[in-house]
Amino acid sequence: MKVISTIKELQSTLKNLHQSPVGFVPTMGALHKGHLSLVNAATSQCPLVVVSIYVNPTQFNNKEDLRKYPRPLKKDLSLLGKVLRNNDIVFTPDDKEMYPAEDKRIFRFGNLDNIMEALHRPGHFNGVTQIVSRFFEIIRPDLAFFGQKDFQQVAVIKELVRQNRYKVKIAVNPIIREPDGLAMSSRNALLEPSVRKNAPVIHKAIYTASVMLEGKDIPEIRDYVRKTIEKKAGFSVEYFEIVDDKKLVPVSSKKQMKKGNSYYGCIAVRAGKIRLIDNIEFQLV
Ligand code: PAF
């Protein structure tokens, strides 16, 4: 694989290689099996794959979170060396390269701006779309790979593609979990041991909640999720919403759910000092 850190070299390499479809996997590094599953999906479908490693400052609404974000570049490159091929590219730009001037663009995504992550991390998706649109315009990929764990991010990116008529297909890969059920995340490495031990409660609670849907209605289910998780010391639920998978409109009663439509229970939890998100499908039977 080639490691490239400037836009100029990246674009001239892509031009010379002249292969298609080009697959793109955007990451912020601190790679885990979830990222590697995206890279494997990309290499299985695309003769040329670009993986970016860039901790994008504009999507952090908390300076401390940005400062603490893990950056194990050497380890990441060694992991990618095992799954990428000779002509694939790892793009590792710095802030000057990605933001030569302040990016003042404001993106609007309707309902997606008014729920869940958007409410709790103001400006986060604007930053995500600033950087992802930059990448799409620089790399011009045919396919871009994202993880289902960032459920709302996927919806925002699809809307970004629709609004800007980018010619990229968004591929979504399932959540990869630790053996105890915790969704893999670069932030898991920052959990204190006692918090890490209790963190599987998040997946357990939302899984049980998805089964409860058969006999119970949503207020009771939401209550169950919050109480179960908050029993663990240092855990507090920021939100738990059941939303449709298209417009992400929350439902507050089973009566609002339509058979055949797809719904997801999405959660954000403060686990000690770290914020974790997860989601699971809710099926009306
Ligand atoms: O999901 C992430 O890791 C980031 O939001 C992304 C898509 C790489 C943009 O910085």
Side-chain angles (χ1 to χ4, degrees):
M1 72 194 186
K2 301 173 184 57
V3 182
I4 294 178
S5 55
T6 65
I7 295 169
K8 200 169 162 211
E9 191 187 344
L10 175 65
Q11 288 185 318
S12 74
T13 308
L14 287 170
K15 202 168 160 202
N16 290 340
L17 288 170
H18 195 63
Q19 272 172 318
S20 84
V22 174
F24 173 48
V25 184
T27 84
M28 297 206 299
L31 304 179
H32 51 67
K33 285 185 189 147
H35 295 112
L36 298 180
S37 81
L38 298 177
V39 176
N40 286 330
T43 55
S44 72
Q45 294 174 58
C46 307
L48 177 56
V49 169
V50 180
V51 178
S52 63
I53 298 182
Y54 177 62
V55 181
N56 170 38
T58 70
Q59 70 188 73
F60 285 80
N61 55 334
N62 176 328
K63 279 206 177 105
E64 192 54 13
D65 194 19
L66 171 63
R67 196 185 60 78
K68 279 198 306 208
Y69 202 85
R71 292 166 172 87
L73 183 62
K74 246 186 167 179
K75 187 172 161 221
D76 287 345
L77 292 178
S78 128
L79 286 172
L80 289 173
K82 294 187 184 119
V83 288
L84 289 177
R85 301 150 301 187
N86 279 348
N87 65 326
D88 291 326
I89 297 170
V90 185
F91 183 46
T92 57
D94 62 13
D95 292 342
K96 267 200 218 130
E97 195 67 16
M98 294 317 294
Y99 296 106
E102 192 187 345
D103 190 340
K104 295 200 172 123
R105 290 174 300 161
I106 302 287
F107 296 84
R108 304 252 180 251
F109 297 113
N111 178 56
L112 299 177
D113 290 328
N114 299 319
I115 44 160
M116 303 194 297
E117 291 300 288
L119 288 186
H120 291 270
R121 300 182 73 190
H124 169 65
F125 287 129
N126 203 60
V128 170
T129 43
Q130 283 176 344
I131 195 66
V132 171
S133 63
R134 281 278 282 145
F135 283 138
F136 283 172
E137 283 161 23
I138 293 163
I139 300 167
R140 304 203 172 273
D142 301 290
L143 272 132
F145 296 79
F146 291 85
Q148 170 76 16
K149 186 172 80 69
D150 295 303
F151 180 82
Q152 192 171 354
Q153 171 169 280
V154 168
V156 166
I157 298 295
K158 284 184 175 166
E159 184 57 21
L160 171 78
V161 168
R162 197 191 64 77
Q163 287 181 11
N164 290 279
R165 300 202 176 107
Y166 291 131
K167 289 190 180 67
V168 57
K169 191 173 158 243
I170 303 302
V172 185
N173 265 34
I175 298 176
I176 307 291
R177 297 185 180 279
E178 298 288 354
D180 61 11
L182 178 65
M184 286 200 184
S185 160
S186 307
R187 288 193 164 83
N188 292 353
L190 303 173
L191 295 168
E192 283 166 27
S194 62
V195 177
R196 170 65 190 85
K197 200 174 115 243
N198 286 326
V201 71
I202 301 169
H203 172 58
K204 267 194 205 131
I206 60 173
Y207 170 75
T208 306
S210 70
V211 177
M212 280 170 77
L213 191 68
E214 206 179 322
K216 310 272 183 221
D217 209 343
I218 290 169
E220 204 175 330
I221 292 173
R222 293 180 57 161
D223 205 41
Y224 165 82
V225 168
R226 186 172 286 276
K227 282 191 179 139
T228 305
I229 293 174
E230 292 187 347
K231 262 185 211 149
K232 302 285 181 194
F235 282 62
S236 76
V237 174
E238 249 183 24
Y239 65 79
F240 172 63
E241 298 285 2
I242 299 172
V243 300
D244 75 275
D245 73 337
K246 299 275 179 313
K247 299 258 180 248
L248 276 56
V249 176
V251 288
S252 52
S253 139
K254 278 205 297 197
K255 278 189 213 132
Q256 297 169 341
M257 297 171 79
K258 291 197 186 91
K259 261 202 181 146
N261 283 8
S262 204
Y263 297 89
Y264 281 80
C266 301
I267 192 161
V269 175
R270 291 256 164 214
K273 293 190 185 107
I274 305 303
R275 186 175 185 276
L276 300 174
I277 58 170
D278 201 348
N279 65 78
I280 196 164
E281 189 167 8
F282 273 66
Q283 268 178 352
L284 204 59
V285 280

